[in-house]
Amino acid sequence: MNLAPKKLDLYLFTKFIMTFFVALLLIIGIVIIFDISEKIDDFVANEAPLKEIVFNYYLNFIPYFVNMFSPLFVFITVIFFTSRLAANSEIIAILSAGVSYKRMLVPYLVAATLIAALSLALNLYVIPQSNQTRLKFEDKYVSHRSNFRRRNIHYQIAPGQFVFVESYSSWNNTAYRFTLEEIQDNKLVSKLSAESAVWDSTAACWKLKNYFIRDYGEGLEDRIRSGRQTDTTIALTVDDFYRNDKTVQTLSEKDLEALIETQKMRGDANVIYAQIEKHTRLALPFSAFILTIMGVALSSRKRRGGIGWNIGLGIALAFSYILFLRFSQMFVFTGALPPSIALWLPNLLFSIIAIVLYKLAPK
């Protein structure tokens, strides 16, 4: 098979990329209009400056939205312009000229590689940084961090060092019934208890109220100390109580890996948010290849009813992929599958569908 670039390759590649970016601009414009209409009351009520709306929110919203729905954009693009090629009998002419179906796919896959590389770069380097600004804007002008109270929090913050908090209130950043235990060689060597621990953001430490410390020695040689207030610095900050699916979106790949290791060591159930984010960043770009092959296989046949059926079927399959990708996260939350399998399951399933459709495509 001759893979040397030809005019046909440039023609198909240009059609793919141009259609992709035109569709992208049109859909982004529509989405921004709907988003403004939904949030305009919040912007006005919270007196959000126009400069911050444009540059802090929407300029950072666009990469996030584009990447999240890139499978939909790729699939619609391929379905649309390939259906037009088929309707104009260009696919028949290409195959009749001696170009094999497999060879015709090469410029499609080159364009898909470019889009996948762009999506991966956005995921790893651009979106985490832009999400920091976007979510900060949302917290300030759209949805404020609500007061909540968590209960029965148990972390291993360092090897042999365990923290237990009966309840935590976000209203005053206070942990109630705070306990810090140190264990060495499977023996309890020290236990610190306090009625409350208040986070001091200036000193970056916890202020313990009505504390009681007991250092366990051999036999009856225990050392006991107590007081009304003391400060302590440990590997636990107030941000650890707010970790969720949004906060992990702001972390770089290096910070995300570090957070996963830390949360695994602590036994923090919120580690699944970081694991889902990690594997989604890597799995999503590969959908460009799968959906491109599916799109070509579905739309390369000339249909009597025109391209409407192909576009409708393409949109349905693209949305089913995105829906399945979101649904696969439930397998992680329920513990049915590890993140490394659950988040790649949609790619595996749709790869099988793409292979079947490719086999059935007219050649």
Side-chain angles (χ1 to χ4, degrees):
M1 182 171 62
N2 183 14
L3 294 177
K6 299 179 180 180
K7 288 184 178 179
L8 175 63
D9 296 324
L10 183 61
Y11 175 70
L12 293 177
F13 177 84
T14 305
K15 280 274 188 180
F16 191 152
I17 295 299
M18 286 185 63
T19 307
F20 176 77
F21 283 105
V22 169
L24 208 61
L25 290 173
L26 289 174
I27 296 175
I28 286 173
I30 294 170
V31 169
I32 288 177
I33 290 171
F34 277 102
D35 192 72
I36 290 174
S37 65
E38 181 186 350
K39 294 186 172 67
I40 187 67
D41 291 337
D42 292 318
F43 293 159
V44 173
N46 295 308
E47 299 180 354
L50 180 61
K51 182 180 178 181
E52 290 192 33
I53 293 174
V54 174
F55 293 100
N56 290 5
Y57 182 64
Y58 283 109
L59 201 61
N60 293 294
F61 171 80
I62 290 172
Y64 169 77
F65 176 82
V66 166
N67 189 67
M68 183 170 60
F69 289 100
S70 61
L72 176 64
F73 299 143
V74 170
F75 207 36
I76 290 177
T77 297
V78 175
I79 290 284
F80 180 74
F81 92 85
T82 306
S83 295
R84 290 192 62 185
L85 293 178
N88 296 330
S89 300
E90 292 181 74
I91 299 291
I92 296 174
I94 291 170
L95 298 178
S96 299
V99 178
S100 68
Y101 195 85
K102 187 184 295 184
R103 178 63 182 82
M104 188 186 73
L105 280 175
V106 171
Y108 282 92
L109 295 178
V110 172
T113 301
L114 178 63
I115 293 171
L118 177 63
S119 176
L120 190 63
L122 286 173
N123 269 334
L124 298 181
Y125 305 109
V126 178
I127 293 177
Q129 186 67 35
S130 66
N131 277 344
Q132 291 182 18
T133 307
R134 179 179 65 85
L135 293 175
K136 191 180 294 183
F137 176 91
E138 288 183 353
D139 284 341
K140 185 176 181 181
Y141 296 112
V142 180
S143 57
H144 299 283
R145 180 182 284 181
S146 59
N147 296 328
F148 69 92
R149 195 178 184 93
R150 292 184 59 187
R151 291 190 168 276
N152 298 325
I153 303 161
H154 198 178
Y155 288 152
Q156 179 181 208
I157 59 174
Q161 196 172 46
F162 298 85
V163 165
F164 175 77
V165 174
E166 185 178 291
S167 65
Y168 173 79
S169 173
S170 64
W171 181 75
N172 53 3
N173 288 335
T174 301
Y176 297 95
R177 298 293 185 270
F178 178 92
T179 302
L180 175 64
E181 296 179 344
E182 292 191 23
I183 297 175
Q184 295 178 6
D185 299 326
N186 296 322
K187 292 182 179 180
L188 182 63
V189 298
S190 178
K191 182 175 181 179
L192 184 155
S193 302
E195 284 188 6
S196 63
V198 181
W199 177 251
D200 186 342
S201 57
T202 305
C205 69
W206 293 95
K207 291 189 176 296
L208 307 181
K209 304 291 182 66
N210 297 325
Y211 68 91
F212 180 91
I213 303 175
R214 183 167 186 169
D215 298 318
Y216 294 88
E218 296 294 334
L220 299 176
E221 299 176 359
D222 294 349
R223 183 186 174 195
I224 298 174
R225 290 166 288 157
S226 62
R228 295 193 63 183
Q229 181 173 311
T230 188
D231 297 344
T232 184
T233 303
I234 55 177
L236 183 75
T237 69
V238 70
D239 291 335
D240 292 309
F241 294 105
Y242 291 101
R243 299 289 185 193
N244 54 35
D245 58 334
K246 286 190 175 182
T247 54
V248 296
Q249 293 174 9
T250 65
L251 301 178
S252 66
E253 196 67 15
K254 182 179 178 181
D255 292 338
L256 194 61
E257 288 285 357
L259 177 64
I260 290 173
E261 286 192 20
T262 300
Q263 290 185 320
K264 279 184 176 180
M265 182 267 295
R266 291 177 175 175
D268 190 346
N270 287 334
V271 69
I272 59 176
Y273 292 118
Q275 291 174 324
I276 287 172
E277 178 68 16
K278 172 188 173 182
H279 290 286
T280 300
R281 288 181 184 182
L282 299 176
L284 193 63
F286 284 93
S287 66
F289 299 104
I290 300 165
L291 297 179
T292 295
I293 295 172
M294 285 179 60
V296 176
L298 279 171
S299 57
S300 56
R301 185 193 298 271
K302 186 175 182 179
R303 297 184 184 275
R304 182 172 297 176
I307 67 175
W309 168 256
N310 287 342
I311 293 176
L313 183 61
I315 292 174
L317 283 171
F319 270 115
S320 66
Y321 174 83
I322 295 172
L323 182 63
F324 190 24
L325 186 65
R326 299 300 171 188
F327 184 75
S328 64
Q329 296 179 7
M330 297 306 299
F331 296 134
V332 183
F333 287 115
T334 58
L337 290 172
S340 56
I341 296 177
L343 274 302
W344 286 89
L345 198 59
N347 282 349
L348 177 61
L349 177 62
F350 277 76
S351 293
I352 296 171
I353 296 174
I355 291 171
V356 172
L357 291 174
Y358 173 78
K359 295 291 184 183
L360 296 176
K363 302 177 177 64

